[in-house]
Amino acid sequence: MKILHTADWHLGKKLHKHDLSKDHQLFLDWLINFIQEQKIDLLLISGDVFDLANPPIEARAMYYWFLRQMIQLKCKIIITGGNHDSAQMLDAPKDILNLLDITVVGGAINPIENEVIVLENLVVCAVPYLRDADLRQAIEGESGASRVENVRLGIKKHYDTLAEICQEKYPNLPKIAMGHLYAHGVSTSESEREIQIGNEAGIDSDCFSQTFDYVALGHIHRPQIIGGNERIRYSGSPIPLSFSEKNDQKIVLLLEVFDNKIQEIKTIDVPKFRDLKRISGTLEEVKSKLIAHQNEAQLQAFLEVEVVEETFNPLIIKELNDLITVFDDESATVLKHKISFKNEVKSSEELFVEGQNLEDISEKSMLQKRLEKENSLSDEHRTLMMEAFTELLQMVEQDNEN
Ligand SMILES: [Mn+2]
């Protein structure tokens, strides 16, 4: 049996207002081809199928178009919800999709046994992103621990319960768990939204019982192994979702199961459909680099331009703006640009690294920087304010998701 693990498609995603639907379409074409050629039996999508809880019509159409292709190839699919997905939106067509051998678990299921999906020679625990309410239910009556600790315990308990059920009912079948969560020590990019109390309730690899032969994770957009454990992995997103991922090799993971064991885990490179590049220097340097730029990928390259000049000069700003306006052809377009002058007086924006985009800075690090400037505050006060802020932020995010 051949299984593919992928996650974080973020259909409908825009990068600085530029649509990524062509990137998604090329990835899906490639994936369909790969599944057909390799005769893949099962496809796992571990959350964040869509970028938004209420995705645009085009993104939904692309999703259903893809599922339609899968039915033809007789590849079973298991889809779980991520923190970007609306659980209800994903779940809405689940009954009809189920008839087509497509299992959807948008949100946590009660009773939990229903997250256990039994195939001919494999068991999959389809765990979606666990929201606050799901976790509170799991650890009801256990007080005394901090909120962060409760979330972590809730997640562990969820997986432990599933492991027990699987072990008891299907002791001889290989077992895979899916998940959409934040694990400690991972390398993040700029395109993941913080989850589970602003990432504070990150889990460790020991969260997953040895009962699971493989853990197929989503949420982190760079592919990686957790805690040095080959069997616990993030597949990462199949296309770059931010400039910070411009040099990452995107992948899907291929698992081969026979003799009731996962025999091999292979990394399959996803082709690069679009170049993301950062071009920096003085205005003159940037100008010549833009002229010399060669597109190496199929789609129009997306560029980020950063000009650094010695002395403040409004004419240079105008010249840069003019340059950006005219520089837009089939081979490349500038998605964002920025200019700074070395002799300018430092302002609050200089608190952050040059080239950092405001929307890439998390709310928490923004407040953190602000509090650092506040000399009259005690450490205790700062911690309290940070905690209160984190709670408020989570309430707002939870509201946005619902
Ligand atoms: Mn994601």
Side-chain angles (χ1 to χ4, degrees), residues 8 10 47-48 83-84 180 191-192 219-221 241:
D8 296 277
H10 289 262
D48 285 356
N83 57 315
H84 280 251
H180 195 92
S191 55
E192 301 106 358
H219 180 55
I220 300 298
H221 295 168
L241 299 168

Side-chain angles (χ1 to χ4, degrees), residues 178-229:
M178 296 170 78
H180 195 92
L181 43 78
Y182 177 82
H184 276 144
V186 294
S187 157
T188 57
S189 75
E190 286 167 1
S191 55
E192 301 106 358
R193 193 192 287 156
E194 289 190 343
I195 56 172
Q196 278 133 0
I197 320 195
N199 287 349
E200 277 172 59
I203 56 93
D204 294 306
S205 55
D206 61 11
C207 174
F208 305 105
S209 150
Q210 292 291 333
T211 304
F212 299 120
D213 300 283
Y214 184 78
V215 183
L217 294 176
H219 180 55
I220 300 298
H221 295 168
R222 298 206 152 111
Q224 54 203 294
I225 289 165
I226 305 309
N229 196 328

